[in-house]
Amino acid sequence: MATAGQWIEGARLRTLPMAVAPVIIGTAAAFDLGGLHWGRAVLAALVSLLLQVGVNYANDYSDGIRGTDEVRVGPLRLVGSGAAAPRQVKRAAFGALALAMVAGLVLVILSQAWWLLLVGAGAVIAAWGYTGGKNPYGYMGLGDVFVFFFFGPVATLGTTFTQAGAVSTAAVLGSIATGLIAVALLMANNVRDIPTDRQVGKRTLAVRLGDRNARLSYVVMLGLSLAVMMVLVPAKPWLLLVLLLVPFMLMPSWLMLKGKKRKSLIPVLKQTGLLNLGFSVLFAAAMALTAL
């Protein structure tokens, strides 16, 4: 039986800022549009967090039964390590995804944005299909595309729309930026696992790009996330605040480019997650200061 601590570790807390960041950005954009609604913001955060935990457990289960996690460098995997039975982890994944659906349904009812039911269903299917099923898209190098889409535009613009009933250019560009940082986090994870993923036929984008290009893409994505926001600076000068993140991007970027040992890349996951959270907070601060 896995301990409570192992279940928490299996939920991969380092990835949770990736789920919170788009909700903060989307809520800040809704405030800028004059439609801030705290109750719906909390529901959106709950949906995003539960989906992230669900996909983490689903990934643990699917990779575990395929043998992908038997030899790896990185945090504990419940199935791969034998700490929990596959069926237990599968139930945990389905439980988290079911709760996300319930919270999402409440959010849709309150906002009357019924078309978001289809988006929510797509998110749940994508969460399971990442590494689950007969043809998981994560094994074909498409995981990065789905992570960008669902943890960028979908989560951010969905949050904005359910509060303000509309989206803005700031919301769109903010969604692109946070999506890029989310993909950078996934790239850091997959670069670390390139040797073992190759052995089991898991063709992630990192595997397809090769070690050197995959590492470089991480730095490029972080740079682009800030460059995208500069488009809005003439209209919203306070968005220059996001440049405060530059010094904090240097260490993870250096580790990605120069870290030879796979274990040296593990801290990059936490650092990138915090970068995404920091970006969202600075974006929200810029929206608030612009309103003054």
Side-chain angles (χ1 to χ4, degrees):
M1 291 291 290
T3 65
Q6 287 174 321
W7 278 106
I8 292 172
E9 187 174 357
R12 307 183 199 181
L13 300 186
R14 292 179 179 84
T15 66
L16 296 189
M18 184 169 71
V20 175
V23 176
I24 294 175
I25 294 169
T27 299
F31 168 77
D32 188 53
L33 288 169
L36 175 65
H37 193 294
W38 286 114
R40 295 176 193 177
V42 170
L43 278 171
L46 190 59
V47 171
S48 192
L49 285 167
L50 287 168
L51 280 173
Q52 182 62 59
V53 171
V55 76
N56 287 344
Y57 282 140
N59 178 248
D60 190 309
Y61 165 77
S62 299
D63 278 349
I65 62 173
R66 284 188 170 90
T68 308
D69 287 339
E70 288 181 1
V71 180
R72 69 187 305 278
V73 176
L76 172 78
R77 293 295 179 264
L78 293 164
V79 176
S81 68
R87 66 179 181 279
Q88 292 177 316
V89 179
K90 186 178 182 180
R91 287 171 184 166
F94 283 170
L97 294 176
L99 289 173
M101 292 172 67
V102 171
L105 179 60
V106 174
L107 180 58
V108 167
I109 292 172
L110 291 175
S111 64
Q112 296 292 292
W114 299 105
W115 58 274
L116 282 175
L117 287 174
L118 293 176
V119 176
V124 172
I125 293 170
W128 179 254
Y130 178 49
T131 55
K134 293 182 179 179
N135 297 296
Y137 63 83
Y139 279 62
M140 297 184 286
L142 297 176
D144 305 75
V145 175
F146 279 78
V147 163
F148 173 80
F149 182 66
F150 282 103
F151 288 96
V154 169
T156 306
L157 301 182
T159 298
T160 302
F161 191 86
T162 53
Q163 294 181 54
V167 296
S168 62
T169 302
V172 171
L173 293 179
S175 76
I176 292 172
T178 193
L180 285 168
I181 301 174
V183 176
L185 189 151
L186 179 62
M187 185 62 71
N189 180 77
N190 289 344
V191 165
R192 185 197 64 212
D193 293 337
I194 285 177
T196 52
D197 284 346
R198 277 181 178 153
Q199 290 175 10
V200 298
K202 188 175 181 180
R203 302 281 292 171
T204 63
L205 183 59
V207 170
R208 292 178 180 275
L209 289 174
D211 188 86
R212 181 177 178 276
N213 290 335
R215 289 170 183 263
L216 183 60
S217 72
Y218 172 90
V219 180
V220 171
M221 284 186 280
L222 289 188
L224 284 175
S225 69
L226 298 186
V228 164
M229 301 314 302
M230 296 304 101
V231 175
L232 287 171
V233 166
K236 299 181 184 297
W238 280 109
L239 279 171
L240 286 170
L241 283 172
V242 299
L243 295 180
L244 292 174
L245 290 175
V246 170
F248 300 97
M249 290 181 172
L250 297 179
M251 178 55 73
S253 295
W254 185 86
L255 286 172
M256 284 297 294
L257 294 175
K258 300 297 182 180
K260 301 301 181 185
K261 294 182 179 180
R262 300 291 161 180
K263 286 187 177 181
S264 67
L265 302 182
I266 295 175
V268 177
L269 301 181
K270 180 179 179 179
Q271 292 165 359
T272 310
L274 292 176
L275 280 173
N276 208 357
L277 191 59
F279 173 84
S280 67
V281 170
L282 291 173
F283 180 95
M287 294 297 104
L289 290 168
T290 298
L292 293 177

